[in-house]
Amino acid sequence: MGKVHAGFVQALGLQKSLGWPKNIVQTDDNINHPPPAYYFLRKLLKQLLEKNEKARFVVTGHSLGGALAILFPAILAFHEESWLLKRLGGIYTFGQPRVGDENFIEYMKGHLTKHEVPYYRVVYSNDMVPRMPYDNSTFMFKHFGTCIYYNSLYREKILVEEPDKNGSFLLLFIPKMLNAAWELMRSCILPCVHGRKYQEGGLLLFMRVVGLLLPGMPAHCPQDYVNSTRLGSSDHSTEDVAKYQKIGIVPA
């Protein structure tokens, strides 16, 4: 499969000293514990899908959940669970970190193409998590899939990679701080324009203030991803429309 972040696969259910056996192995260490997430979900999905031959499922998640969302079908492919992969309707992640190297990407591209599974990564503005672990000669982590990028005005673009892919371009630090200041002001403006359902809580407002010094941290909060799907609008050029059409989407 290639190299994959150890912490993410352990969260999904990698078994200590056993790797990824197709079926869970009962040992003295785990006999009294619930099954790991991967095995539990795979069994549950099979039970549900067998009841309706037309039913399909999607996997989605935010942050670590996004990493697990792309790794779940990866392990299905590793275990040759073609029946489940054919029922997979799509993978949608929000603020997802990188999970694997270039070999992993090629492995996944092959299986997703084979089973016609679309994969979309939604990235909001300066969110630091999708820019980690680094894509460089040391860490060698890579992104793939269709990147749907929203700026702080909730304007949408289709990109190959989010801008400033490693979040380390120092010349952008001051613009990021100014953007964080705008996001703090926007928190007060949105409820006045769109109603109380857009009012942000005290913890998120505190994170917005912290973001003035650490831009990119509050941008990872789910609120901006929710707002992007609610308020997001597209400003598509002819090239953008062509990109959409290639992946089967008609832009609004």
Side-chain angles (χ1 to χ4, degrees), residues 32-47:
N32 294 319
H33 295 281
Y38 166 77
Y39 297 97
F40 174 82
L41 290 172
R42 187 184 66 179
K43 180 180 179 181
L44 181 62
L45 277 171
K46 287 182 177 180
Q47 292 173 348

Side-chain angles (χ1 to χ4, degrees), residues 226-244:
V226 173
N227 288 350
S228 294
T229 61
R230 286 173 162 180
L231 303 173
S233 59
S234 305
D235 184 15
H236 302 297
S237 65
T238 303
E239 292 181 357
D240 289 332
V241 172
K243 290 178 184 177
Y244 272 110

Side-chain angles (χ1 to χ4, degrees), residues 162-247:
E162 51 272 17
D164 188 21
K165 67 177 184 179
N166 287 324
S168 57
F169 191 42
L170 293 179
L171 291 179
L172 291 178
F173 185 74
I174 292 178
K176 287 180 180 179
M177 292 181 66
L178 293 174
N179 189 72
W182 152 244
E183 289 174 333
L184 179 59
M185 291 187 291
R186 188 192 60 195
S187 298
C188 302
I189 295 171
L190 283 181
C192 298
V193 176
H194 297 287
R196 292 178 58 86
K197 62 184 178 181
Y198 289 93
Q199 187 170 348
E200 297 181 358
L203 179 59
L204 181 53
L205 289 173
F206 172 75
M207 292 291 290
R208 299 281 192 206
V209 174
V210 172
L212 297 174
L213 298 176
L214 296 173
M217 181 180 292
H220 185 60
C221 296
Q223 185 66 52
D224 282 318
Y225 284 95
V226 173
N227 288 350
S228 294
T229 61
R230 286 173 162 180
L231 303 173
S233 59
S234 305
D235 184 15
H236 302 297
S237 65
T238 303
E239 292 181 357
D240 289 332
V241 172
K243 290 178 184 177
Y244 272 110
Q245 291 174 339
K246 283 183 180 179
I247 59 175

